[in-house]
Amino acid sequence: IMMVSGLLDKSTMLEQCHHGAASLRVALRPGAVHVMVIVVSRGDVCDRDKTKAITGVVVMQLRRKFKRHVDIQERFFILDCRKSQSREMIGLRRYLSQLKKEKLQTVR
């Protein structure tokens, strides 16, 4: 999971996510691929529409750059991280559980 603040501008968010994805790529064994899910915090105070647009662009740019090296998921989450039982947080937990199951099935 790559956590970034919803209050960041596009270039800063891209820089932080790029650094995280590059770190994953360096840490990998040759041929291994890690999954990266972007989670935007501060969903309670950020402009959700603007943040959604910025994050969508960041995800597309990262997917283009890292291609097969890091599996950057198209789906991202904007959360108020203080509300652990919110609809978005429950959706994130379900999504991560589903990703885990899918990865385990491909390993077998």
Side-chain angles (χ1 to χ4, degrees):
I1 296 176
M2 178 69 205
M3 290 285 296
V4 292
S5 172
L7 301 176
L8 298 176
D9 59 72
K10 183 176 100 178
S11 62
T12 307
M13 185 184 289
L14 179 60
E15 181 181 313
Q16 286 186 2
C17 291
H18 182 276
H19 180 72
S23 298
L24 273 178
R25 187 174 76 179
V26 168
L28 292 174
R29 291 176 276 116
V33 176
H34 280 295
V35 175
M36 181 173 167
V37 177
I38 297 178
V39 176
V40 181
S41 65
R42 306 293 304 235
D44 55 328
V45 294
C46 70
D47 178 352
R48 282 183 171 268
D49 292 333
K50 180 180 174 186
T51 302
K52 189 181 267 189
I54 289 172
T55 307
V57 170
V58 167
V59 167
M60 285 176 30
Q61 289 179 357
L62 289 173
R63 287 177 62 89
R64 218 173 311 140
K65 171 116 177 118
F66 289 97
K67 295 180 183 155
R68 295 179 306 260
H69 301 291
V70 180
D71 181 11
I72 300 167
Q73 298 295 298
E74 288 185 32
R75 186 167 179 195
F76 56 87
F77 297 85
I78 301 173
L79 305 174
D80 176 1
C81 294
R82 293 175 291 172
K83 295 183 180 177
S84 62
Q85 297 303 317
S86 69
R87 180 175 49 93
E88 293 91 358
M89 190 71 80
I90 292 169
L92 172 62
R93 285 196 291 264
R94 285 183 182 151
Y95 186 70
L96 293 174
S97 177
Q98 176 186 354
L99 280 176
K100 180 181 172 183
K101 286 178 186 175
E102 289 173 5
K103 286 294 178 183
L104 288 174
Q105 287 177 354
T106 59
V107 171
R108 294 179 187 174

